Structure formats: structure tokens, C-alpha cells
Amino acid sequence: HNLSDEEILSGVVGGSHDGGCDAFFFLLGGKPVRDDSPIPEQNGLTAHLIFMQAKLGEGFSPLQVDRLEALTDDILDIPRQPQNYRRTYHSKLLRLIKLFKDTHKKLHAPRIVIDYYYVTTVDNTEEKDCHTSAQHIDATARRHFSRADVHDFHFINASRFYTQLFDRPKFEKKLQFAELMDGTEGYIGLVGLRDFY
């Protein structure tokens, strides 16, 4: 999603009382939502929730996957108040949960997309129990939003993570032309060396 360093850090929630989630992101129309973000009035915007769990030196554990179920239930139950949450969460995560719930109430028929990432630096593969736990989370999400697009749980081990390091994000740069001429097969432009550099 080409998030800036600041935007990435704003979603990092790992620590005690994190609900088993090391990072939580809420994107609307592909952009991270903040407290002061304007909410478009259009119908059918995509609200994208991303849950991430990261482990150093540990393989995949179904118990760690299970921990995301209660958090999913608390976040996606829009009317549920913090005093009725199934787990205790720290203040930053509570603020992000509130931001999602408050924003969701203002949206018109949003499309909900949910992704779960479990990243480990160990080069092993997930066992069947991990997929069973992931299916429980999927069922919890669909209980609240039956039409949500809940993607398959992403299990990222060391080799998959290494491969992703080489996926460069798409970006655009503008090149200032000193003079632009229309040719028969395209355009010819004169560019200052400083602008080109």
C-alpha cells in the first residue's frame, strides 16, 4: 500500500494487552484513516482491515493464531463497548478500534476486506492446526460481516519474507521537460540534466 514510515508506525500495537496483534491497519480507499481524515460520502468504499502478527525465532503456532479471534470479535462487533470487550487492550489499540468503529458508522454500504498476516523469521511451514484456527477467525469475521472479503490467512515464513523483500512498490516520478515536441511515433522531450538526475 506504499505506506510511509510514519503511517506504518502508527499501526504498530505490539506489547502487553495487544490482543495477539503486533500491527493493526485500517485503510479506506487504499489510504490509512486518521482521526482527522475526511470521510467521503460515496457508496461502496473499500474498508480494508489488516492484522499482523510477527515473531522472531519462533515458528507458526495455532495458539498465536487463536489469540486474534477475540480481537476480531471485539473490533467487528460495531455496537460493542470497551467495557464489554472479551480482552483488555492497551490505549493505542483501543484508540484504533474506536477509530474504525466511529468511521464505519459514517460509511455508506462499505465493502469490507480483511487480511491476516503471521510473519516469522523461522523457515518452517504452518501445520494443519494453524489453518483450523484461521478458519475459526474467518467464521468470526463473517458472523459480523457476512459479505466481507476475508482473504486466506497469510503465513509468511523466512523464505517467503525474503522473496517479498524484492517486490518493489510501484511509484511515479514526474520529469520536467524544458521543451516537448510531438513526433510521428511518440513524443521527444528536452530535459535539463539537473531535472533528469
Side-chain angles (χ1 to χ4, degrees), residues 160-178:
R160 293 172 192 156
F161 186 58
Y162 185 73
T163 302
Q164 286 188 332
L165 290 176
F166 296 99
D167 287 341
R168 295 180 62 85
K170 294 179 183 177
F171 64 92
E172 291 182 0
K173 288 195 173 184
K174 296 189 187 227
L175 184 57
Q176 184 66 45
F177 289 100

Side-chain angles (χ1 to χ4, degrees), residues 28 40-47 103-112 145 147:
L28 190 58
E41 300 265 338
Q42 69 192 71
N43 288 347
L45 281 173
T46 298
T103 304
H104 182 271
K105 291 173 187 173
K106 299 174 187 173
L107 296 175
H108 303 283
R111 175 178 174 251
I112 305 292
F145 291 97
R147 298 181 66 186

